[in-house]
Amino acid sequence: MASQTSVTRRRLLIGLGSGLGLLGGGGAYVYWSLQGDSGGYTAPDSHPVVTTRGLLNTAEGPAFETSGTWAFDDASAVFLFVHGFSTDAERARDNAYTAQVALDGTRPTPVIAYSWESDVEWEQAKTNAAANSAPLAQWLVEWAETDGRPVHLLAHSLGARVTGETLRVLAEQGATDALASVSLLGGAIPYDSVIQGGRYGDAIGAADAPVSNFYSHNDKVLSWVYRASDRTHAVGHAGTRDAGPLPDGYQDVSVSDLVTDHYSYFEPGEGCLARVVAEIE
């Protein structure tokens, strides 16, 4: 696990760090700030997963596939975890399981992993995130039709881009009731994309679900690396910064007192999922 974490951090520096040279001596500070992790939990093979890996560019066939055990007989709702950048299939499942472990102490609920191809270079990952909007929207609509239990979506890092684009698709389809709540955790999207008139603002306002942005001033990946790469502030670092009027149902929630780094939002015992649950109940 230590070796895997090290490789992932190096890839993040390469993928997001095209502008790190501008930071001069701050580059070393950023490097050490990237050493956080989500606890190193390993999911069982039975953990439920929805995946689009290897399926988006096929001419025919399903847009997504599922695996794992889907026996949620005692659950009144489910969570769906959308991971962020530089996450392979194994870590996507591990991240969702980690969130489930964290929820076990507050609101025991199944957490389904949404696994998408983010383990590529940064610009391609952003393109892939947008391309996942249609299949995720399709899964949510089909879930509502076949199961019907409320879905609470947790979107970490670049998963916020997947989520924002999906809200746009759902709004276009008139399926604004497909989600019970949306929680952005360290969202790696521009701070002004969620306001009224921003790329995702109208779709957020149309959703029949609260959208909460959990941000941390301690998130150096967003405050340094994301800002250097995308030349803007991330909503997951300091919220909307009074960029403009907020859509109905949206709120910024500071979790700087709980979250110490970019990878700790959903970490059991040290993250902010207890506060997420408090906001959606």
Side-chain angles (χ1 to χ4, degrees), residues 3-275:
S3 175
Q4 181 180 351
T5 300
S6 177
V7 170
T8 300
R9 301 303 178 266
R10 285 198 296 271
R11 287 198 58 186
L12 188 92
L13 279 169
I14 294 170
L16 290 181
S18 59
L20 277 180
L22 300 174
L23 299 179
Y29 174 70
V30 171
Y31 173 79
W32 290 111
S33 296
L34 297 179
Q35 301 310 300
D37 62 67
S38 56
Y41 292 82
T42 301
D45 292 341
S46 60
H47 196 89
V49 177
V50 180
T51 183
T52 61
R53 294 177 187 266
L55 300 173
L56 289 183
N57 297 320
T58 56
E60 299 179 358
F64 57 82
E65 294 177 344
T66 61
S67 62
T69 301
W70 291 71
F72 309 143
D73 295 341
D74 296 330
S76 59
V78 298
F79 280 77
L80 183 71
F81 188 93
V82 184
H83 64 78
F85 175 59
S86 192
T87 303
D88 61 20
E90 182 178 0
R91 286 191 66 232
R93 187 175 60 184
D94 290 346
N95 284 353
Y97 176 71
T98 299
Q100 182 167 313
V101 173
L103 287 170
D104 282 345
T106 303
R107 179 178 173 171
T109 311
V111 180
I112 301 164
Y114 186 82
S115 181
W116 60 283
E117 291 183 87
S118 72
D119 49 336
V120 291
E121 296 302 320
W122 175 242
E123 292 301 323
Q124 183 61 52
K126 290 195 291 184
T127 298
N128 291 355
N132 269 267
S133 58
L136 178 51
Q138 178 186 345
W139 182 85
L140 288 168
V141 170
E142 291 183 7
W143 174 270
E145 293 174 347
T146 59
D147 187 285
R149 276 174 288 190
V151 177
H152 299 283
L153 192 150
L154 303 172
H156 178 239
S157 190
L158 194 57
R161 185 179 178 96
V162 177
T163 302
E165 298 294 338
T166 299
L167 290 176
R168 285 165 56 92
V169 172
L170 292 172
E172 291 170 0
Q173 295 178 348
T176 55
D177 59 351
L179 286 163
S181 71
V182 175
S183 299
L184 309 180
L185 310 175
I189 53 176
Y191 71 107
D192 55 357
S193 65
V194 299
I195 66 172
Q196 291 183 22
R199 180 166 181 82
Y200 307 125
D202 291 344
I204 290 172
D208 296 333
V211 177
S212 299
N213 170 52
F214 296 87
Y215 68 89
S216 174
H217 293 298
N218 303 315
D219 192 333
K220 300 303 188 297
V221 168
L222 297 181
S223 65
W224 287 79
V225 187
Y226 177 86
R227 184 178 178 187
S229 176
D230 281 24
R231 304 295 194 271
T232 187
H233 297 286
V235 73
H237 177 243
T240 55
R241 298 170 177 259
D242 297 322
L246 302 179
D248 291 342
Y250 175 91
Q251 66 170 337
D252 286 322
V253 182
S254 175
V255 289
S256 299
D257 59 325
L258 298 172
V259 175
T260 59
D261 60 69
H262 189 61
Y263 307 96
S264 299
Y265 290 88
F266 53 97
E267 183 175 359
E270 298 184 21
C272 65
L273 291 195
R275 189 166 298 178

